[in-house]
């Protein structure tokens, strides 16, 4: 991105995206000149403050009403063809999968009667929801937060027995994603649309940490709905959205993944609903470009990966992932793929699309070539020569063979492999991080062969990565001196707890997505069966402790929303395998043509091998 483009985006943001905090907090006595303007999100004034009105159960199905933005729109007829539901007619799945949500019976579509000898084979019984699923839906709706009477998200946890809320009563962008997908696949789309637009209005607020402002385009980690008085007499109140960009977080780290998740969710919403007009709006286009401008800006880094600090993603505490963690790179790649689909092509966006393609090509080559390890690669590292100085060096990052940990030698199976957690000069983090590997499969950041290898490794190491509760956030845990030095003796990240080797049920939906994409849904069913047996009895905890995930986490919150939503999303995906294609990305053969290694004298390239495998 050149300076002219960045300045143009900044100017567009000031005009189209960035909200005015004074406008949100202004009194009812506004200037007459501004009173006639129609705001995108009108203020919500309350003559009497009712604290319990913050959260309202969201019970409206998309099948029961038409779009509010266009009252004249003719309702889309319900069809019995699943392919049309995937194209945007989601009430089909709402009606078939969850018949209890419709108080009035929907008239059946008249179809020609099948021959008598085909009646038995053509009839497919509708699966009845289990009691665990019904409980999960009740809890998910209980977690819904409303703003000015409209649902805008779900709180992180709704534990009635917990008095110390901390920030668990806020709506987190990353936490809401599985909730959004569950609602979308049930046909309840309003809450997702509201969430996308309201969080867009919070982008690039001038929040500061010790008088320093973050980069423009940053998305908040979370937001909270607050009620403030309109006047000094406290007779009238108004609801406002108060975002947190990390200035209140533990460690004061800004979230890198929030903007990436927002783009991924926007694409999922548009593909599920067929409402592509949302992504074409000027403010939405500007929001996408601002996020990309922040991620694609030139800096000192020589790598195509994003350079970030510890605590900037799902692992939001010091865990030794600073640098180029796999989780961020997989989300970054996916967000770039999604953005390229959604950006409106014109003279002003051509250079941005070219920058996206260049980064996608370089990023995918870098991850596939240097992050991948299997027995063959480990043996190669074991025989590395160091201090090589040339363009043709084999050990490009000066990795010392002594870095290979003892546990890895016996852990990696003969068949299969995975993407390591981090890569920096003279440092390879050989830990297995589940989210990064799973999302690399879903976004096609890996080659098809590598994707198969990751699932094969998970199946081979089931007792280590799944055991009593799927799925380990990372493996293995840091212990003893390593834990004290790397985490700073973090009492929450003790070995095999929380982010340090804990088991997180919310990862189920991403595991399910990866399994379906690679044609192995039975592996996901096996993991969900393990989780379903315990989650409800254990009150839907945030995470589990111990090496095998037997105990509920020592500081785990009960009724964690993304645990609930991850389970529901996984169940729906397994019942409708075709829906997974809406959330994933296929291999892009054009990116293989733009391989950065063509500029060097390298003779071996994973891209060429991958393309020949696909085409052949």
């Amino acid at each position: 991105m050149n300076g002219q483009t960045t300045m143009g985006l900044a100017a567009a943001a000031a005009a189209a995206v960035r909200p005015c905090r004074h406008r949100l907090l202004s009194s009812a006595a506004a200037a007459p000149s501004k009173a006639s303007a129609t705001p995108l999100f009108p203020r919500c004034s309350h003559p009497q403050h009712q604290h319990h009105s913050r959260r309202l159960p969201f019970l409206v199905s998309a099948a029961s009403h038409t779009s509010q933005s266009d009252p004249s729109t003719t309702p889309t007829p319900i069809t019995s063809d699943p392919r049309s539901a995937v194209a945007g007619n989601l009430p089909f799945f709402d009606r078939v999968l969850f018949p209890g949500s419709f108080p009035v019976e929907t008239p059946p579509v008249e179809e020609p009667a099948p021959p008598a000898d085909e009646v038995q084979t053509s009839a497919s019984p509708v699966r009845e929801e289990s009691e665990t699923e019904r409980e999960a839906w009740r809890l998910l709706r209980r977690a819904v937060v409303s703003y000015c009477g409209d649902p805008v998200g779900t709180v992180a946890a709704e534990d009635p027995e917990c008095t110390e809320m901390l920030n668990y009563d806020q709506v987190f962008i990353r936490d809401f994603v599985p909730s959004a997908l569950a609602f979308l696949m049930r046909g309840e789309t309003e809450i997702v649309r509201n969430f996308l637009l309201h969080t867009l209005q919070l982008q690039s607020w001038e929040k500061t940490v010790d008088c320093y402002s973050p980069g423009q385009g940053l998305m908040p980690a979370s937001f909270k709905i607050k009620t403030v008085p309109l006047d000094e007499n406290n007779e009238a109140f108004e609801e406002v959205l108060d975002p947190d960009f990390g200035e209140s977080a533990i460690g004061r780290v800004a979230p890198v993944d929030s903007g990436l998740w927002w783009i991924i969710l926007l694409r999922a919403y548009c593909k599920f609903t067929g409402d592509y007009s949302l992504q074409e709006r000027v403010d939405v286009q500007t929001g996408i470009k601002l996020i990309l401008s922040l991620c694609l800006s030139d800096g000192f880094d020589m790598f195509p990966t994003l350079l970030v600090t510890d605590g900037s993603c799902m692992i939001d505490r010091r865990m030794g992932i600073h640098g180029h963690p796999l989780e961020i790179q997989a989300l970054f790649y996916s967000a770039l793929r999604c953005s390229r689909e959604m950006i409106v092509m014109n003279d002003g966006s051509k250079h941005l699309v070219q920058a996206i393609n260049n980064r996608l090509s370089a990023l995918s080559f870098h991850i596939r070539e240097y992050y991948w390890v299997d027995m063959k690669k480990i043996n190669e590292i074991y025989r590395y020569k160091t201090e090589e100085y040339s363009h043709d060096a084999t050990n490009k990052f000066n990795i010392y063979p002594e870095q290979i940990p003892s546990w890895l030698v016996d852990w990696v199976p003969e068949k299969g492999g995975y993407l390591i957690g981090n890569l920096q000069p003279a440092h390879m983090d050989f830990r297995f991080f589940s989210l990064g590997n799973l999302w690399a499969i879903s976004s096609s950041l890996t080659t098809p062969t590598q994707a198969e290898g990751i699932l094969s490794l998970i199946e081979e190491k089931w007792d280590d990565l799944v055991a009593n509760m799927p799925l380990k956030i990372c493996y293995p845990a840091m212990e003893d001196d390593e834990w004290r030095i790397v985490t700073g003796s973090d009492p929450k990240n003790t070995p095999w707890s929380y982010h340090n080797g804990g088991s997180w049920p919310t990862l189920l939906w991403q595991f399910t997505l990866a399994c379906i994409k690679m044609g192995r849904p039975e592996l996901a069913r096996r993991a969900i069966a393990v989780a379903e047996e315990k989650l409800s009895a254990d009150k839907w905890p945030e995470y589990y402790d111990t090496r095998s995930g037997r105990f509920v986490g020592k500081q785990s919150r009960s009724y964690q929303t993304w645990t609930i939503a991850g389970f529901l999303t996984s169940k729906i995906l397994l019942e409708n395998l075709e829906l997974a294609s809406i959330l994933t990305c296929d291999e892009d053969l054009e990116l293989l043509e733009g391989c950065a290694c063509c500029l060097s004298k390298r003779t071996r390239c994973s891209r060429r091998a991958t393309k020949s495998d696909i085409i052949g």
Side-chain angles (χ1 to χ4, degrees), residues 194-364:
N194 292 341
F195 172 85
L196 289 167
L197 291 176
H198 280 294
T199 49
L200 178 64
Q201 298 306 303
L202 300 177
Q203 186 184 34
S204 296
W205 270 40
E206 294 182 359
K207 291 281 187 142
T208 62
V209 177
D210 295 337
C211 305
Y212 183 78
S213 299
Q216 194 172 39
L218 182 70
M219 279 289 190
S222 62
F223 65 85
K224 187 174 183 178
I225 299 172
K226 291 186 176 181
T227 306
V228 298
L230 281 171
D231 50 39
E232 297 180 356
N233 298 326
N234 295 338
E235 295 181 354
F237 295 83
E238 164 182 63
E239 287 183 344
V240 297
L241 300 177
D242 183 31
D244 178 14
F245 289 87
E247 72 276 7
S248 300
I250 298 174
R252 303 301 190 265
V253 178
V256 177
D257 62 340
S258 291
L260 307 178
W261 276 122
W262 185 86
I263 290 176
I264 293 170
L265 180 59
L266 173 64
R267 183 233 192 191
Y269 169 85
C270 294
K271 290 179 74 68
F272 266 113
T273 64
D275 181 16
Y276 293 100
S277 61
L278 178 66
Q279 70 186 35
E280 297 171 358
R281 288 173 43 150
V282 175
D283 54 345
V284 174
Q285 286 287 308
T286 305
I288 296 173
K289 293 175 182 178
L290 281 172
I291 296 172
L292 295 179
S293 177
L294 191 62
C295 295
L296 295 173
S297 58
D298 295 330
F300 292 101
D301 198 16
M302 292 290 291
F303 305 148
T305 44
L306 278 183
L307 178 63
V308 298
T309 187
D310 248 339
S312 59
C313 52
M314 179 180 175
I315 297 179
D316 57 6
R317 301 167 78 94
R318 184 178 168 190
M319 270 285 291
I321 64 169
H322 57 278
H324 306 86
L326 177 64
E327 176 182 334
I328 291 295
Q329 315 316 320
L331 293 174
F332 181 36
Y333 182 85
S334 181
L336 290 176
R337 292 286 304 269
C338 295
S339 298
R340 192 177 60 171
E341 290 183 23
M342 296 186 293
I343 290 177
V344 176
M345 288 297 297
N346 52 45
D347 292 338
S349 61
K350 287 191 299 184
H351 295 293
L352 177 60
V353 173
Q354 183 60 47
I356 291 174
N357 285 329
N358 291 340
R359 182 60 73 90
L360 282 171
S361 178
L363 179 62
S364 59

Side-chain angles (χ1 to χ4, degrees), residues 115-170:
D117 57 346
E118 296 183 7
V119 171
Q120 295 297 327
T121 59
S122 62
S124 56
V126 178
R127 185 185 66 85
E128 183 179 355
E129 284 182 328
S130 65
E131 179 56 37
T132 302
E133 291 174 78
R134 289 193 288 269
E135 179 193 9
W137 276 113
R138 290 193 298 268
L139 294 172
L140 183 59
R141 289 197 168 91
R142 191 179 74 179
V144 169
V145 173
S146 293
Y147 173 65
C148 295
D150 296 322
V152 294
T154 51
V155 293
E158 184 71 20
D159 186 357
E161 300 177 359
C162 183
T163 58
E164 187 181 13
M165 290 306 299
L166 295 178
N167 58 355
Y168 283 86
D169 62 344
Q170 299 188 23

Side-chain angles (χ1 to χ4, degrees), residues 443-457:
S443 63
S444 289
L445 177 57
T446 60
T447 67
T449 302
Q450 290 173 345
E452 289 283 359
I454 293 172
L455 293 184
S456 295
L457 179 137

